Amino acid sequence: MQSEHQGPFHCFRDDAMGEDDATALAARIRAGEVSALDVTKAAIERAEMAQAVINGMVATDYDRSLSLARSLTKPEAPFAGVPTFIKDNTDVQGLPTRHGSAAVPSNTASKTSPFAEQMLAQGYLCLGKSTLPEFGFNATTEPAHGAATRNPWNLQYSSGASSGGAAALVAAGVVPVAHANDGGGSIRIPAACCGLIGLKPTRGRVVDNEAAKTLPINIVSDGVVTRSVRDSAGFIAAADEYLRNPALPRVGHVQGPSGKQLRIGLVLDSVTGHKTDPKTRNTVEATARYLEKLGHIVEPMDVPIPASFPDDFALYWGLLAFGVKLQGRKLMHPQFDKRQVDGLTNGLEKMFRKKLWKLPAALWRLKRSQQDYARHMSQYDAVLTPVLGQTTPPLGHLSPTVPFDQLFDRLTRYVCFTPLANTTGAPAISVPMALTDAGLPVSVQFMARHGDERTLLELAYALEADHPLPLISRLGDNRYAGDVALMA
């Protein structure tokens, strides 16, 4: 799809949704100021308007969502009546699940996955399924077999991945919150690209993704991308009530920053040896200076992982591709056609086969990373890093049609800070802090101790309070070439 619309795009308007986040929208529905039906109708109109431009949906469920909205008489759930989307690697009964791949035939799920049930129990109404790259392996949502999902801030650029459709739909104003999941950064990366809050929960905080249960190391966490910290805080509080994991401290409903002084480690460059680009580095350094003004102690720290980590994680990435091709008919669909997978999946699988002998040691080190991380974090409350090694690339830069060796090098330079939280199981959050000259958000990442989402949300609240990234709808002609207040 080549959109005729150039530059930024949004569909915020004076309708039942307005510019509300999910928290405000749910409150208005509860108060009777607006009906869930009117909100759903407005979201559907926005979705249809946005699809031709950003291509964030792969399936719709409008009739069922309208029916549920009509029957909503006692909106007691925290987000009752708020429209959302579920990512197309997660089953919703009656909707297809194709994992972003031409190798998976169109099908209809017979039941709703456990995590989708957990999320929808908060009252959200599912309008359909959002786009992702094939099997979630890429860091951009550009399928080889179809149209790319475009970044609403600048349509010539990537929306990130693998929850790229979810992030694009939320940033453009179609819905205030959408499902995302993260096996190497796939909540935080698209949130960073699209100027959203992206919280990856601690491993075990939410119901396990069904695919995650089959992995030798469970690196996958489900969550949401949002336009406000309070929406992410509300989601995690409700999720914690739905599934009380006694092995983790309760998060509670975090509603603002904390007044306590924190010791925060600062990491600017990845263990890969690739230098962070100047714009991203400047944003992280400016964030650190601001945190010091708030009274926190910010000091450089060593990356809490061995030099082997990038190669070990890459091998695990290849193992996933190998497993998909080998077990696709069992895991996804009886008519799964491995001949239809894209160049990235094929390349990862071939790379894995060549290095298969290294797997036992790599798995041992990756499993040990949780203990290594915990030991490093004993002296810190949080760690501040970039989300990505570089600012958001244009469409095509990470396309699965790029020759594999070149694409793999680009991906390892780009996605070099987020995977650690997946192997260790630690919570991490992406927070937007600046804009590039091309009008694209630049975000920072915070990581915390196992189970400490509260500290991450409190930090995000503190930054959001004084440095809100403008909504696309408030940028006038959107030529906002400067940065947010922090970076001015």
Side-chain angles (χ1 to χ4, degrees):
M1 178 185 69
Q2 289 294 326
S3 171
E4 294 181 0
H5 192 290
Q6 299 296 316
F9 167 84
H10 72 84
C11 49
F12 291 102
R13 57 199 54 253
D14 186 16
D15 56 16
M17 296 178 69
E19 294 182 348
D20 284 339
D21 65 0
T23 302
L25 200 54
R28 290 174 59 219
I29 292 171
R30 279 194 298 273
E33 296 174 10
V34 64
S35 72
L37 181 59
D38 285 343
V39 167
T40 304
K41 288 179 178 178
I44 290 171
E45 289 181 3
R46 293 185 181 198
E48 289 299 295
M49 180 188 312
Q51 181 64 6
V53 180
I54 62 172
N55 189 44
M57 305 184 298
V58 292
T60 60
D61 201 11
Y62 296 158
D63 289 344
R64 180 161 49 173
S65 61
L66 288 168
S67 177
L68 290 171
R70 288 189 187 96
S71 63
L72 187 67
T73 56
K74 295 182 179 180
E76 298 171 353
F79 294 105
V82 175
T84 193
F85 284 85
I86 300 294
K87 186 174 172 180
D88 191 35
N89 61 359
T90 302
D91 287 345
V92 174
Q93 185 180 29
L95 290 177
T97 304
R98 297 196 63 187
H99 298 271
S101 177
V104 182
S106 184
N107 61 87
T108 300
S110 60
K111 61 180 181 178
T112 297
S113 71
F115 174 79
E117 287 184 344
Q118 179 181 27
M119 180 175 173
L120 297 177
Q122 298 187 17
Y124 293 107
L125 301 182
C126 176
L127 298 185
K129 306 292 286 290
S130 62
T131 56
L132 74 156
E134 183 168 274
F135 312 125
F137 290 158
N138 207 342
T140 186
T141 305
E142 299 179 55
H145 63 277
T149 297
R150 296 173 179 270
N151 191 321
W153 290 88
N154 187 320
L155 297 174
Q156 307 311 311
Y157 285 77
S158 169
S159 65
S162 65
S163 309
L169 291 166
V170 173
V174 176
V175 291
V177 58
H179 167 232
N181 47 33
D182 192 319
S186 296
I187 293 174
R188 293 157 287 158
I189 292 169
C193 293
C194 294
L196 305 175
I197 301 296
L199 173 65
K200 186 204 86 67
T202 301
R203 181 162 51 220
R205 178 69 70 188
V206 302
V207 175
D208 271 342
N209 182 294
E210 289 182 312
K213 297 175 183 178
T214 68
L215 301 177
I217 302 173
N218 181 2
I219 62 172
V220 181
S221 292
D222 283 82
V224 293
V225 288
T226 71
R227 292 196 300 267
S228 69
V229 178
R230 68 179 183 175
D231 280 359
S232 292
F235 165 81
I236 208 70
D240 210 18
E241 290 296 324
Y242 182 97
L243 173 69
R244 181 72 194 99
N245 186 341
L248 297 175
R250 187 181 293 275
V251 179
H253 197 161
V254 185
Q255 301 189 41
S258 167
K260 64 183 178 182
Q261 184 187 65
L262 302 176
R263 188 181 184 197
I264 302 172
L266 175 65
V267 176
L268 292 171
D269 292 310
S270 166
V271 70
T272 62
H274 300 131
K275 293 293 184 181
T276 302
D277 74 7
K279 180 65 177 182
T280 303
R281 174 184 288 270
N282 291 342
T283 301
V284 177
E285 290 177 332
T287 302
R289 291 193 295 270
Y290 180 70
L291 291 170
E292 289 177 327
K293 289 180 181 178
L294 293 179
H296 301 301
I297 299 169
V298 183
E299 59 189 35
M301 70 176 288
D302 294 330
V303 180
I305 49 177
S308 63
F309 181 84
D311 289 338
D312 291 343
F313 191 84
L315 188 63
Y316 193 78
W317 191 11
L319 170 65
L320 300 182
F322 173 80
V324 164
K325 289 191 69 175
L326 183 66
Q327 297 289 331
R329 291 187 177 184
K330 178 180 178 181
L331 297 174
M332 297 181 186
H333 194 279
Q335 297 177 358
F336 176 87
D337 184 359
K338 65 181 181 181
R339 296 170 299 179
Q340 298 296 316
V341 301
D342 69 20
L344 177 58
T345 301
N346 273 326
L348 289 170
E349 186 238 5
K350 291 176 182 177
M351 178 187 73
F352 173 76
R353 286 179 179 274
K354 292 177 181 178
K355 300 179 180 181
L356 174 61
W357 62 275
K358 295 184 177 181
L359 183 62
L363 287 176
W364 183 84
R365 287 189 294 266
L366 291 174
K367 289 177 180 179
R368 194 184 64 182
S369 67
Q370 181 172 342
Q371 288 72 42
D372 293 341
Y373 178 79
R375 186 170 59 254
H376 276 80
M377 288 299 294
S378 64
Q379 303 299 316
Y380 295 93
D381 299 293
V383 179
L384 168 64
T385 80
V387 178
L388 293 155
Q390 302 163 357
T391 56
T392 304
L395 290 170
H397 182 73
L398 299 176
S399 168
T401 61
V402 172
F404 175 74
D405 289 345
Q406 184 178 14
L407 175 58
F408 186 77
D409 179 67
R410 290 177 178 180
L411 284 169
T412 53
R413 292 172 181 271
Y414 185 53
V415 184
C416 48
F417 291 96
T418 53
L420 178 61
N422 297 91
T423 60
T424 63
I429 194 169
S430 171
V431 182
M433 290 303 296
L435 289 176
T436 69
D437 290 343
L440 293 157
V442 182
S443 296
V444 301
Q445 175 181 238
F446 291 97
M447 299 172 63
R449 297 171 185 164
H450 201 76
D452 194 14
E453 287 92 338
R454 170 171 283 273
T455 291
L456 298 180
L457 290 165
E458 289 172 345
L459 280 167
Y461 268 120
L463 296 176
E464 181 187 53
D466 286 332
H467 309 103
L469 193 72
L471 290 173
I472 298 176
S473 59
R474 298 182 186 178
L475 295 183
D477 66 355
N478 292 290
R479 298 313 302 159
Y480 191 81
D483 296 315
V484 291
L486 171 64
M487 309 301 296

